[in-house]
Amino acid sequence: MVQRICWLLIGLGKGADWDQTLHDLQLCFGVKEFLVIAPQSASGVVLDAPEASKLLSAVAIALSNCSCLWPAFVPVHDPSRKAYIGIQNMGTVFTRRFEADCIGSQVPIKLMHLEGLYELFVSKFAYTAVDWSMHHFEVHFKLKLTYRTPTYDDEDELQEPNIDDRGSSENIETDTHGKTQWDDDCPWSKWYSAEDLVKGFQLLAIWSEITAESSLDMAELENASPLEADKWFLYPCLSENLSAISDGRTIGFASQLHLLVKALEMASEAKFIEDFVSVENSGSENLKSSAVVPPPTVLDRVLKDLFHEVTETQPGSSLGEHKNSRSIKGAPLESLFAQFCLHALWFGNCSIRAIAVLWIEFVREVRWCWEESQPLPRMPTNGTIDLSTCLINQKLHMLAVCIDKKRREVKGQNFGTNDPLTSPAQEDLQGPMEFSASHGVSEGFGRKHDRNGSSGVAGSMMLLKAHKIMHAPITQDPPLMTEDMHEERLRAAVALGDSFSFSGQLERDILASDMSAFKAANPEAVFEDFIRWHSPKDWENDDSEQTGVSQINATEVSEIKWPPSGRLSERMSDYGNSWRKIWNEALPLPASQQKPLLDPNREGEKVLHYLETLKPYQLLEQMVCTAFRAAADTLYQTSFGNLKQMTTKIGQLYVTMASTLKYLQSHSTISDSDVIEDLRRLCTTFGHIEKLILLAASLHRKFLQSPHLAEAIFSDCYDYYLPNMGTGSAKGDTKKEFDKRQQVSLRDRNLIIGMFPPPTANQSWRKVLSMGNLLNGHEPIFREIIFSKRDHVSGSYYSAPTPNLFQQDIETYRMYVCGTSNDLRVALAVTSFD
């Protein structure tokens, strides 16, 4: 029966060096280029032994006729045995034959030890039944041992709690599951526990060249420490989830952002947030399928964390944020809305109904803070409103300020005024100071006088029409305005058709307030005095006038030239100037007696009305932007050492988020399918970066004492994972396993040994048999040995047109042995004189 034969040519040109990645047959037989002849059958092997020998002989003759020195192999027996027979024509004199087979179970105890393997090899060329321990045969061999750091998923690795030490049954669940997670102190641990993508490490200990003369030498080597090995190599055992395409099984920010985008897509199916809560009243199957809401206890815990268990951090602080974070129109990480969005990612699996329930309760809690005049947590009560943030964050900032003003009113404090601190010298000059041309300072100099709303003297400036020092008034703070308030006023200006002068109209109330305060602090002031103080650029001084004096004393007052000289600018001198009109209408009132520029009651209620009537898609749009920004800022706080690749990738992530999310809030509805699709792709990109951050953090923690090892291993992992991220130049091979390894220097070996803690008693009794060469009590999980014997030969060795005579040593016997205590594979190569 003739079978179809498959020819496999391998020409790698590498020797059998453990420092390199080798093909299985190269490692087994020490060959470089080789040829495999296999049938195109289901098994891929030649099951009939005579047929295999006949096929191999035919191939050997064919290769000899064409002067090819490549060895040829035929797979035989059962495929699970990985058995081969082979032959190589080495010239006119020598032929090399190969044979490999495997013992899958019940390995003889003797062959589990180096001594027995040594005797097995010697038996191939010493054809006498003697006591091998009493004879000397010089054998060269190499040894490689593979160790695996203990895994912590095994139940025996868990620290069993002492039941007697538990005070009550209340903490039984906590104690039972009280195992410390690897990421307990990582920034994302508040939201989820991530899988450690580094499952462990494999350590390769290699003895490059050893000579043994008896089985006793082998027994001694079996007791040697791996620290005596010539080389150590280390490579990580990575989780399959690192390179796997996200299928929803991996939990992290990216998976929850996917769900949030899905909720955004559904947001247009209802006009009001409350419609999503009562799904029974909706005919949408999508709403009913996402109607999972956590129990009230979970909701209470979320609200408690948002409003009551707030750590003392500066509200609205941008500490820990990336420099490009503000380019995303969201909310600062520690702000109330950002924390709400992060909670929403995990509340009810981020379903649209769960978000609606959480938002309604969130707004109720915000209203309670307003009605009870309780400070709004996680929000600043001062400063200007940051218009680069989302509108909800701006509104909450406005409400926090309004609540603070209400609280101050109740306490009877004067607030909302700009009262700069004055120096001690200015405090002595807060009273009126009268001057005359001949006597200088009057008898009242240096005495404090009551003056309405004065914060001190205005430098060395004097009033134009009175012999008195000018006083700087205490003014009201400018009114806070959110983005929509600015847009509303601008739309009103366009409607009035006077957009050119509307900038002055916008400041009319503030200007009138400042003028009233100035008049109260300086009763005898004129319009020109106000301009000199409020808008110095509109007052043209003579060159001879003294300016720039910030403090004066009694001896210096007489030197000040009075009356001041100068004139109004052309802009302020125009007939019908609006500033002069406002001046004429302004009454002298200190800021404390004026009508507040910001009415906290009115503005606070407007904020609550906005939050309570917010459209679903408007809420979800802002939530998506804020959730992406907050999640990225959280991951950015991860400590991963000096990994430049991560720094670059994180920066690119912020740029990608900003460019994608900027189109989101520019739409009146979210019906644009392109926007949703872009958001899904952004979630995928986010997931890739998130995995890299988890990997970087894991390596950084494991190599705190040897950061260069962490950087080298991460660089290899990064190059392996990058093509699978969709950012590489070529498609990644997801089936290819990570096989890069790093050589461990002598100074780092003690750190690696620390990764192998001594086994517990429960682990030790399970060790059926030890193969020796223990590392902190851990036996190797895999052992590889290459035995070789060399002989001196002379003559025409290689076939060539003009054979040369020479003498050299050739490897007459070679045996490769690999396996564990449960299996053993042996590959033998014998060179014969034909």
Side-chain angles (χ1 to χ4, degrees), residues 208-494:
S208 300
E209 189 70 35
I210 306 176
T211 301
E213 296 184 349
S214 69
S215 57
L216 296 179
D217 293 340
M218 302 300 294
E220 182 179 350
L221 178 62
E222 190 169 296
N223 295 321
S225 168
L227 284 171
E228 300 176 13
D230 300 321
K231 295 179 181 180
W232 276 20
F233 291 93
L234 189 73
Y235 67 93
C237 303
L238 302 178
S239 168
E240 61 181 8
N241 290 327
L242 177 60
S243 58
I245 299 175
S246 178
D247 55 1
R249 293 181 301 174
T250 304
I251 301 300
F253 282 129
S255 64
Q256 303 310 112
L257 288 170
H258 267 289
L259 298 175
L260 184 60
V261 171
K262 182 179 179 181
L264 170 66
E265 190 176 14
M266 299 172 60
S268 59
E269 297 185 15
K271 294 182 179 180
F272 305 101
I273 295 292
E274 292 76 10
D275 294 340
F276 289 105
V277 178
S278 303
V279 294
E280 293 81 5
N281 299 330
S282 175
S284 172
E285 292 298 328
N286 289 334
L287 294 183
K288 294 179 180 180
S289 64
S290 61
V292 179
V293 176
T297 53
V298 177
L299 177 60
D300 292 341
R301 284 201 300 266
V302 172
L303 295 176
K304 186 177 181 181
D305 180 77
L306 286 173
F307 290 93
H308 304 291
E309 295 180 351
V310 181
T311 57
E312 295 183 0
T313 57
Q314 183 179 355
S317 174
S318 60
L319 295 177
E321 294 182 351
H322 192 271
K323 62 181 181 180
N324 295 330
S325 178
R326 291 173 60 87
S327 62
I328 302 171
K329 198 172 181 62
L333 176 60
E334 297 300 328
S335 66
L336 183 58
F337 185 59
Q339 292 298 304
F340 166 83
C341 292
L342 291 177
H343 272 291
L345 290 178
W346 309 96
F347 186 76
N349 206 22
C350 202
S351 66
I352 185 64
R353 188 184 179 210
I355 292 174
V357 170
L358 183 59
W359 174 255
I360 291 173
E361 294 302 320
F362 174 81
V363 175
R364 286 177 183 172
E365 198 73 19
V366 171
R367 176 167 282 282
W368 180 87
C369 292
W370 165 251
E371 293 177 348
E372 298 298 326
S373 296
Q374 294 298 314
L376 195 61
R378 306 179 185 274
M379 297 304 298
T381 58
N382 52 21
T384 59
I385 293 179
D386 187 357
L387 300 182
S388 67
T389 63
C390 65
L391 187 55
I392 293 178
N393 183 73
Q394 298 177 37
K395 293 292 186 180
L396 292 175
H397 188 175
M398 171 73 79
L399 185 63
V401 173
C402 293
I403 292 175
D404 183 67
K405 290 184 179 295
K406 282 179 59 178
R407 288 167 56 86
R408 290 176 180 267
E409 284 181 347
V410 172
K411 294 179 180 180
Q413 297 182 8
N414 183 24
F415 68 98
T417 57
N418 185 2
D419 188 3
L421 297 176
T422 57
S423 64
Q426 289 174 320
E427 291 179 359
D428 292 336
L429 297 174
Q430 287 181 0
M433 301 175 63
E434 298 184 0
F435 296 81
S436 66
S438 58
H439 296 91
V441 185
S442 69
E443 294 181 357
F445 176 80
R447 295 180 300 170
K448 274 192 174 182
H449 292 267
D450 292 333
R451 185 176 290 271
N452 289 331
S454 171
S455 64
V457 297
S460 63
M461 288 194 294
M462 298 174 61
L463 300 178
L464 291 172
K465 303 300 183 180
H467 302 172
K468 297 178 181 179
I469 284 289
M470 182 186 297
H471 281 251
I474 299 173
T475 59
Q476 292 195 62
D477 292 329
L480 298 177
M481 296 182 65
T482 57
E483 185 177 14
D484 61 331
M485 295 170 65
H486 282 285
E487 293 176 354
E488 181 181 355
R489 299 191 71 173
L490 287 174
R491 285 194 297 269
V494 174

Side-chain angles (χ1 to χ4, degrees), residues 700-716:
H700 175 67
R701 288 165 168 267
K702 292 174 174 62
F703 295 99
L704 289 175
Q705 304 303 321
S706 298
H708 60 280
L709 267 180
E711 294 172 10
I713 294 175
F714 178 81
S715 180
D716 290 338

Side-chain angles (χ1 to χ4, degrees), residues 430-681:
Q430 287 181 0
M433 301 175 63
E434 298 184 0
F435 296 81
S436 66
S438 58
H439 296 91
V441 185
S442 69
E443 294 181 357
F445 176 80
R447 295 180 300 170
K448 274 192 174 182
H449 292 267
D450 292 333
R451 185 176 290 271
N452 289 331
S454 171
S455 64
V457 297
S460 63
M461 288 194 294
M462 298 174 61
L463 300 178
L464 291 172
K465 303 300 183 180
H467 302 172
K468 297 178 181 179
I469 284 289
M470 182 186 297
H471 281 251
I474 299 173
T475 59
Q476 292 195 62
D477 292 329
L480 298 177
M481 296 182 65
T482 57
E483 185 177 14
D484 61 331
M485 295 170 65
H486 282 285
E487 293 176 354
E488 181 181 355
R489 299 191 71 173
L490 287 174
R491 285 194 297 269
V494 174
L496 293 174
D498 191 16
S499 58
F500 177 77
S501 62
F502 195 69
S503 59
Q505 180 65 26
L506 288 175
E507 302 296 331
R508 180 182 179 89
D509 294 341
I510 301 175
L511 188 59
S513 173
D514 290 348
M515 288 180 173
S516 293
F518 187 83
K519 283 185 174 182
N522 302 279
E524 300 181 30
V526 294
F527 174 68
E528 287 78 2
D529 292 320
F530 177 77
I531 295 300
R532 293 166 60 212
W533 169 75
H534 190 276
S535 181
K537 66 179 181 179
D538 287 308
W539 180 258
E540 300 174 356
N541 287 319
D542 291 340
D543 294 338
S544 61
E545 183 178 7
Q546 182 179 359
T547 60
V549 181
S550 60
Q551 299 180 13
I552 62 174
N553 52 43
T555 58
E556 292 175 337
V557 169
S558 60
E559 301 177 3
I560 298 178
K561 181 181 180 181
W562 188 88
S565 58
R567 66 197 62 82
L568 291 173
S569 65
E570 181 178 355
R571 182 172 73 100
M572 289 298 174
S573 302
D574 290 344
Y575 177 77
N577 182 270
S578 59
W579 282 44
R580 187 179 293 274
K581 182 180 180 180
I582 298 173
W583 171 266
N584 294 333
E585 296 174 353
L587 299 177
L589 288 175
S592 59
Q593 300 177 17
Q594 296 178 15
K595 177 183 177 181
L597 292 174
L598 175 67
D599 185 347
N601 293 296
R602 182 185 66 219
E603 296 300 332
E605 287 296 337
K606 288 171 64 176
V607 170
L608 267 298
H609 176 75
Y610 169 81
L611 298 177
E612 292 169 342
T613 60
L614 192 62
K615 301 297 182 183
Y617 68 85
Q618 293 175 332
L619 169 63
L620 267 297
E621 284 175 346
Q622 297 182 64
M623 283 186 64
V624 168
C625 293
T626 300
F628 269 103
R629 172 177 171 176
D633 286 339
T634 300
L635 293 176
Y636 176 67
Q637 297 178 3
T638 304
S639 175
F640 49 73
N642 185 27
L643 298 179
K644 297 181 179 179
Q645 301 101 320
M646 282 312 310
T647 303
T648 301
K649 276 296 175 186
I650 292 176
Q652 293 174 352
L653 175 63
Y654 277 95
V655 173
T656 303
M657 288 193 301
S659 62
T660 303
L661 297 173
K662 70 179 181 180
Y663 297 105
L664 186 59
Q665 296 187 33
S666 63
H667 294 70
S668 57
T669 64
I670 45 86
S671 58
D672 191 345
S673 59
D674 292 339
V675 174
I676 298 297
E677 190 60 34
D678 288 343
L679 291 175
R680 292 197 181 104
R681 284 193 291 266

Side-chain angles (χ1 to χ4, degrees), residues 31 33 69-72 86-90 94-98:
V31 297
E33 300 87 357
L69 303 181
W70 281 20
I87 192 170
Q88 180 182 14
N89 178 18
M90 302 182 67
F94 303 107
T95 300
R96 200 177 187 191
R97 290 176 172 82
F98 308 95

Side-chain angles (χ1 to χ4, degrees), residues 44-264:
V45 299
V46 181
L47 299 177
D48 184 67
E51 181 181 357
S53 299
K54 190 180 301 184
L55 175 63
L56 192 61
S57 298
V59 172
I61 294 173
L63 293 176
S64 177
N65 290 338
C66 61
S67 300
C68 179
L69 303 181
W70 281 20
F73 298 96
V74 175
V76 295
H77 306 309
D78 186 84
S80 63
R81 292 169 59 175
K82 298 181 179 179
Y84 288 88
I85 59 173
I87 192 170
Q88 180 182 14
N89 178 18
M90 302 182 67
T92 59
V93 179
F94 303 107
T95 300
R96 200 177 187 191
R97 290 176 172 82
F98 308 95
E99 185 176 0
D101 207 342
C102 178
I103 302 176
S105 61
Q106 297 181 348
V107 178
I109 296 179
K110 187 175 183 180
L111 296 183
M112 294 181 184
H113 297 277
L114 295 180
E115 182 179 359
L117 295 174
Y118 168 83
E119 293 177 359
L120 174 64
F121 178 66
V122 171
S123 68
K124 300 301 179 182
F125 56 83
Y127 301 102
T128 57
V130 298
D131 184 2
W132 304 121
S133 63
M134 302 301 296
H135 289 73
H136 296 276
F137 301 95
E138 185 174 299
V139 173
H140 302 277
F141 69 95
K142 302 176 182 179
L143 175 64
K144 181 172 78 170
L145 303 177
T146 302
Y147 298 86
R148 174 69 155 80
T149 56
T151 58
Y152 299 99
D153 295 333
D154 197 325
E155 292 181 358
D156 291 335
E157 298 292 329
L158 297 176
Q159 296 295 329
E160 295 293 339
N162 188 344
I163 299 178
D164 296 334
D165 292 339
R166 298 174 186 165
S168 66
S169 61
E170 180 180 355
N171 296 325
I172 289 180
E173 181 178 356
T174 302
D175 290 338
T176 303
H177 301 87
K179 177 186 173 185
T180 301
Q181 301 295 328
W182 77 275
D183 60 346
D184 276 348
D185 56 349
C186 290
W188 64 79
S189 61
K190 176 182 177 181
W191 309 105
Y192 68 97
S193 180
E195 175 194 12
D196 191 347
L197 296 176
V198 182
K199 294 301 184 182
F201 291 89
Q202 286 197 6
L203 171 66
L204 308 181
I206 299 176
W207 283 261
S208 300
E209 189 70 35
I210 306 176
T211 301
E213 296 184 349
S214 69
S215 57
L216 296 179
D217 293 340
M218 302 300 294
E220 182 179 350
L221 178 62
E222 190 169 296
N223 295 321
S225 168
L227 284 171
E228 300 176 13
D230 300 321
K231 295 179 181 180
W232 276 20
F233 291 93
L234 189 73
Y235 67 93
C237 303
L238 302 178
S239 168
E240 61 181 8
N241 290 327
L242 177 60
S243 58
I245 299 175
S246 178
D247 55 1
R249 293 181 301 174
T250 304
I251 301 300
F253 282 129
S255 64
Q256 303 310 112
L257 288 170
H258 267 289
L259 298 175
L260 184 60
V261 171
K262 182 179 179 181
L264 170 66

Side-chain angles (χ1 to χ4, degrees), residues 15-18 22 26-30 96 114 117 121 139-144 207-210 218 783-789 811 813-818 827:
D17 189 349
W18 272 324
L22 302 175
Q26 288 181 310
L27 191 57
C28 286
F29 300 113
R96 200 177 187 191
L114 295 180
L117 295 174
F121 178 66
V139 173
H140 302 277
F141 69 95
K142 302 176 182 179
L143 175 64
K144 181 172 78 170
W207 283 261
S208 300
E209 189 70 35
I210 306 176
M218 302 300 294
R783 178 174 58 192
E784 298 175 79
I785 311 171
I786 299 177
F787 293 98
S788 65
K789 184 178 182 299
E811 188 179 62
Y813 290 89
R814 183 185 191 276
M815 187 174 76
Y816 170 78
V817 182
C818 67

